[in-house]
Amino acid sequence: MYNPQLPMDGNTVTRTPSLNAGAGVFGKNVERHSNERIKHMLKSFGLRTSLIRLKVIDALLTAAQSERSLGVRGIHSQLLELDIPLSFLSVREVLKRLCSEGVITLNADKSYSLHQQAAAVLDGLA
């Protein structure tokens, strides 16, 4: 079977990403908030950890610290500014899933915020 990612001579190519020490997947320091806290919070809601979930929650936490509210477009824009290439649809689907699981809430103004119970888990109160 033809695989366009393999060389034509039949040899396999192994690619190892070269990341700078202390830099994240996209060449930037990805741990702005403690990812371990976010991972623990997701696990307490029975959700698997994924990079996009970590990034979306981190964007919501950053917005909350600066007393801003973000909708889907705002979160997507913030991720693009950080050179995190996620599609608008991916961000929207993650937000829907996090809402349905009770991790975040959709506010009346179509912005998202962390649910009180999720915030309590992040703060170590639950």
Side-chain angles (χ1 to χ4, degrees):
M1 181 186 305
Y2 175 72
N3 186 343
Q5 296 178 341
L6 293 177
M8 295 302 291
D9 62 0
N11 294 329
T12 59
V13 176
T14 56
R15 293 188 177 112
T16 56
S18 60
L19 301 177
N20 298 332
V25 176
F26 300 104
K28 294 186 183 277
N29 189 353
V30 294
E31 199 167 49
R32 294 184 337 181
H33 291 91
S34 172
N35 281 346
E36 292 304 316
R37 288 178 30 214
I38 297 173
K39 287 177 185 179
H40 172 73
M41 186 262 304
L42 288 170
K43 188 175 180 181
S44 72
F45 279 86
L47 295 171
R48 292 183 185 165
T49 300
S50 69
L51 181 63
I52 189 168
R53 286 179 181 162
L54 290 172
K55 294 298 164 193
V56 166
I57 291 171
D58 183 57
L60 287 171
L61 291 172
T62 301
Q65 283 180 343
S66 60
E67 297 179 8
R68 294 183 306 140
S69 59
L70 294 177
V72 181
R73 291 191 191 282
I75 293 170
H76 182 249
S77 296
Q78 186 170 348
L79 294 175
L80 288 178
E81 287 175 9
L82 296 172
D83 292 330
I84 300 171
L86 298 171
S87 72
F88 177 81
L89 293 176
S90 296
V91 172
R92 186 178 70 185
E93 290 303 313
V94 166
L95 288 167
K96 279 184 184 178
R97 177 65 192 268
L98 291 174
C99 273
S100 70
E101 296 295 328
V103 177
I104 61 175
T105 57
L106 176 61
N107 302 317
D109 63 352
K110 304 281 186 183
S111 66
Y112 291 89
S113 59
L114 206 59
H115 191 277
Q116 290 176 350
Q117 184 179 1
V121 172
L122 280 178
D123 292 337
L125 302 175

